Amino acid sequence: MSGVLILFYFFGSVALLSALAILFIRNVFHAALLLLMCLLAVAALFVLMHAEFVGVTQILVYAGGVLTLIIFGIMLTSKIDGKAMMVKNNKWLAGMLAGLPMLFILITLLKQHSFQSSGKFMTGDAAIKQVGVTIMSDYVLAFEIAGLLLLVALIAAVVTATTSKKNDA
């Protein structure tokens, strides 16, 4: 067994176990930290599969940006009550009944698909350059709209936080 395969199984099991632990943990902050572990393990899997750009994007966007906002929100809301937020879930049977058919469909579709590589993929700087050129030419409008929406969300968060601080005083 090669070292890359051992690392693949290690990071795959870390991602799987941390994702499963998120389902059963009651503390929201600990669940966010487990989500960070899962996202970093998935980024490591991308890097092992020679998709370095996607792996770095995974770390920057999800682990760096989105999860930071989630933890920031959790920390702000937990200060309101003065105690840690705990999640109660007594609808696990309904979740299992809804999730099992989806799992069956996913497994059936995965068995039907043949995962044969065509052998035509770019690696290194050429792939990253091609992604950048495609984003800035074919998808520039969507890229700019997404940036504008993120800016509006940031301004709204600042206004909301400032307004609630004034109301508390």
Side-chain angles (χ1 to χ4, degrees):
M1 193 180 283
S2 71
V4 174
L5 191 60
I6 291 171
L7 284 174
F8 180 81
Y9 283 131
F10 172 74
F11 286 120
S13 60
V14 166
L16 181 67
L17 291 174
S18 60
L20 286 174
I22 291 170
L23 296 175
F24 298 109
I25 199 155
R26 295 178 55 108
N27 191 318
V28 179
F29 183 72
H30 292 154
L33 292 178
L34 284 168
L35 180 61
L36 174 65
M37 184 186 305
C38 181
L39 291 173
L40 291 176
V42 170
L45 289 174
F46 282 132
V47 170
L48 285 174
M49 301 307 294
H50 302 290
E52 292 88 3
F53 181 78
V54 180
V56 170
T57 305
Q58 170 90 11
I59 291 171
L60 289 176
V61 173
Y62 291 114
V66 173
L67 198 65
T68 303
L69 289 174
I70 290 172
I71 291 175
F72 183 68
I74 290 170
M75 293 174 111
L76 278 177
T77 56
S78 67
K79 299 242 190 273
I80 294 171
D81 296 346
K83 58 183 178 181
M85 290 177 46
M86 301 299 274
V87 177
K88 289 184 179 178
N89 186 3
N90 53 6
K91 306 267 191 235
W92 62 271
L93 183 61
M96 292 289 283
L97 290 175
L100 285 176
M102 298 301 266
L103 179 66
F104 176 73
I105 291 170
L106 179 66
I107 290 172
T108 305
L109 291 174
L110 286 175
K111 284 183 179 179
Q112 292 175 357
H113 192 277
S114 65
F115 292 98
Q116 298 296 326
S117 174
S118 65
K120 300 177 186 176
F121 61 91
M122 295 184 287
T123 59
D125 293 339
I128 294 172
K129 182 178 180 181
Q130 183 62 38
V131 169
V133 167
T134 303
I135 286 175
M136 291 302 166
S137 60
D138 296 342
Y139 301 105
V140 71
L141 181 64
F143 189 71
E144 292 296 328
I145 290 173
L148 230 118
L149 287 174
L150 287 171
L151 177 65
V152 168
L154 181 66
I155 292 171
V158 169
V159 168
T160 303
T162 306
T163 305
S164 62
K165 291 280 185 194
K166 287 180 184 176
N167 291 341
D168 290 342

